[in-house]
Amino acid sequence: MYTDELWLGTLLNGEARWVIAGTTNTVEEASSRHQTSPVATAALGRLMTSSLLLASSLKEEEALTLRLLGDGPLGGVVAVGNMRGEVRGYVHEPNVDLPLNEAGKLDVAGAVGAGEFVVSRSLTNGENYTGMVPIVSGEIAEDLVH
């Protein structure tokens, strides 16, 4: 049976850091709880995994919230992660069903649409820092990198 894992490491004498996340069970559990369609599951899973990857470098009681506020049929996707590997998330419209895209893949970009990608960091002292950028592609990984 597959177990979810979060692996952390450094290389180049601590100059570079890497994080690998295996989140299959977590995403399946979220899909089951929220009864999400395949495209909604893909969007939610990508955002939840992204929040875990980013939150892995936070301090103990801090949290990171990622929000995709798009004009697509999903309406928005939210994920909150922390450095202990805990994550939760939801999709505003979990039953969205779209045809496959031109490449024969789930159309996550079409489901997300255009809008804003919001990142919020909650610090241990109660302060919050938030940044917003336009959604570049809706594919989530590309938006996160941007």
Side-chain angles (χ1 to χ4, degrees), residues 69-97:
L69 306 174
D71 62 2
L74 286 179
V77 186
V78 177
V80 181
N82 63 40
M83 66 85 60
R84 292 183 302 278
E86 299 167 337
V87 65
R88 61 182 181 219
Y90 70 94
V91 178
H92 289 219
E93 297 295 335
N95 298 314
V96 169
D97 191 21

Side-chain angles (χ1 to χ4, degrees), residues 2 7 14 32 41 50 56 80 83 104 107 109-110 121 131 141:
Y2 181 79
W7 298 346
S32 175
T41 300
S50 297
S56 68
V80 181
M83 66 85 60
D107 191 5
R121 181 176 176 181

Side-chain angles (χ1 to χ4, degrees), residues 88-139:
R88 61 182 181 219
Y90 70 94
V91 178
H92 289 219
E93 297 295 335
N95 298 314
V96 169
D97 191 21
L98 296 176
L100 299 177
N101 64 20
E102 306 81 38
K105 307 268 185 182
L106 293 171
D107 191 5
V108 174
V112 169
E116 294 181 328
F117 190 8
V118 182
V119 179
S120 300
R121 181 176 176 181
S122 301
L123 303 180
T124 55
N125 64 7
E127 291 183 48
N128 292 307
Y129 290 93
T130 300
M132 295 183 288
V133 295
I135 292 173
V136 174
S137 73
E139 287 293 333

